[in-house]
């Protein structure tokens, strides 16, 4: 790999000659601007707006535009006198735990390669010291005309450096969080955890850029004079009306996509009830009348018939007893009336 910067790591009084190499590469497909009528390339030319003519690279310098539009020229000689001690040195200033670094600060990544045999031992010493301490090194370095902040860490058997933004270059997330108060239930958090566990089981090496792959197929088809392949329309997202149902469906879909068997304790997704629930007593139980009606409704038809049949003899017996009691009362009343009549006749005689 071609180096983009040569210098040294300053580790106290130890100097380690190194070469800076890009640790990443871009695979994105680049397009050219063209004239749509004849496919001619559209190019930009560097023109001086005062003389209205194109200028060469040797005629181009640097300048700072002031607030009032005035241009202040800055030459390379002006920049060479700036007090930048890190012009050719990666100066380590501290060692801190890795979790002290906010990922928002991290930028471009580089590999630091030992430059020559004399750099082998101090390079290995720094690498092993970083490994044993479980820390990262914070350093200052200069690249492309400005001083930068960097973080050194071990990757495999090499030392990598991440360019960091200065702390005052990271914006605070003020006013971005929802300002509406919401309540998150424990069951919702449990389902979110289950979804995270399922989606987290993936090898990052298996992920690839599907858009770039489809774009390459379109370019290859048009280059060969064929019609570009049709891609399916993405599924339209709907409104989330029931968060619990959405989480449960997401967990189920994630498990099925990974060939996992659904767990026995997986929650069942049911539609929200449209009617109000039956009234409840303070203790949380249904009222007695409601419970009796529900129990009667749940009885099988045969059981209800059997109950009605068995109740018939009971009703007949009760009716017979009632008739006998009525007859006995009538006879007693008649005897009492006859006795009263006899008594009244004797008195009159």
């Amino acid at each position: 790999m071609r180096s983009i910067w040569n210098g040294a790591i300053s580790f106290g009084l130890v100097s380690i000659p190194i070469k800076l190499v890009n640790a990443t590469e871009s695979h994105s497909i680049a397009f050219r601007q063209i004239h749509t009528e004849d496919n001619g390339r559209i190019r930009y030319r560097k023109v001086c707006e005062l003389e209205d003519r194109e200028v060469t690279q040797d005629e181009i310098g640097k300048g700072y535009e002031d607030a009032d539009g005035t241009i202040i020229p800055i030459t390379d000689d002006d920049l060479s006198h700036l007090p930048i001690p890190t012009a050719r040195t990666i100066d380590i200033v501290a060692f801190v735990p890795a979790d002290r670094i906010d990922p928002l600060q991290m930028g471009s990544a580089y590999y630091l390669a030992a430059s020559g045999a004399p750099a082998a031992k101090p390079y290995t010493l720094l690498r092993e010291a970083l490994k044993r301490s479980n820390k990262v090194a914070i350093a200052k370095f200069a690249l492309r005309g400005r001083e930068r902040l960097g973080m050194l860490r071990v990757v495999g058997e090499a030392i990598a450096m991440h360019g960091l933004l200065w702390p005052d270059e990271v914006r605070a997330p003020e006013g971005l969080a929802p300002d509406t108060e919401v309540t998150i239930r424990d069951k919702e958090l449990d389902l979110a955890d289950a979804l995270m566990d399922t989606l987290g089981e993936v090898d990052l090496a298996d992920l690839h850029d599907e858009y770039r792959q489809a774009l390459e197929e379109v370019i290859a088809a048009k280059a060969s004079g064929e019609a570009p392949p049709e891609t399916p329309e993405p599924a339209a997202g709907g409104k989330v009306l029931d968060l619990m149902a959405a989480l449960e469906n997401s967990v189920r879909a994630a498990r099925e996509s990974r060939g996992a068997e659904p767990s026995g304790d997986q929650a069942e997704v049911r539609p929200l009830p449209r009617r109000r629930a039956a009234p409840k007593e303070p203790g949380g139980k249904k009222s007695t009348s409601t419970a009796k009606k529900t129990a009667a409704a749940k009885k099988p038809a045969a059981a209800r018939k059997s109950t009605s049949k068995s109740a018939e003899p009971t009703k007949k017996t009760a009716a017979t007893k009632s008739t006998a009691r009525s007859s006995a009362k009538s006879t007693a009343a008649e005897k009492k009336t006859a006795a009263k009549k006899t008594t009244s006749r004797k008195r009159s005689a």
Side-chain angles (χ1 to χ4, degrees), residues 186-205:
D186 289 339
K187 190 172 182 181
E188 292 171 337
L189 283 174
D190 293 340
L191 284 170
D193 289 340
L195 181 59
M196 290 168 61
D197 291 340
T198 305
L199 296 178
E201 297 173 1
V202 63
D203 187 356
L204 294 179

Side-chain angles (χ1 to χ4, degrees), residues 65-81:
E65 185 175 2
D66 207 351
D68 60 358
T70 303
I71 300 296
I72 303 172
I74 302 294
T75 66
D76 291 338
D77 187 58
D78 295 331
L79 298 176
S80 65
H81 291 85

Side-chain angles (χ1 to χ4, degrees), residues 320-336:
T320 303
K321 289 181 179 179
S322 176
T323 304
R325 284 196 297 269
S326 299
S327 300
K329 287 181 179 179
S330 299
T331 303
E334 289 174 357
K335 288 181 179 180
K336 193 174 183 180

Side-chain angles (χ1 to χ4, degrees), residues 22-97:
N22 280 322
T24 61
E25 58 186 1
S26 174
H27 292 163
S28 61
I29 296 175
F31 293 103
R32 302 291 188 185
Q33 290 186 327
I34 62 170
H35 187 202
T36 55
E37 292 185 2
D38 54 16
N39 292 344
R41 282 281 305 277
I42 302 297
R43 299 180 182 274
Y44 292 97
R45 295 180 179 178
K46 297 178 180 181
V47 176
C48 175
E49 63 181 15
L50 296 180
E51 299 181 10
D52 195 20
R53 68 176 182 88
E54 185 177 357
V55 295
T56 63
Q57 186 62 36
D58 294 338
E59 298 177 273
I60 299 175
K62 298 182 183 69
Y64 175 79
E65 185 175 2
D66 207 351
D68 60 358
T70 303
I71 300 296
I72 303 172
I74 302 294
T75 66
D76 291 338
D77 187 58
D78 295 331
L79 298 176
S80 65
H81 291 85
L82 290 176
I84 302 180
T86 57
R88 287 293 170 185
T89 305
I90 298 174
D91 186 18
I92 295 177
V93 296
F95 292 87
V96 300

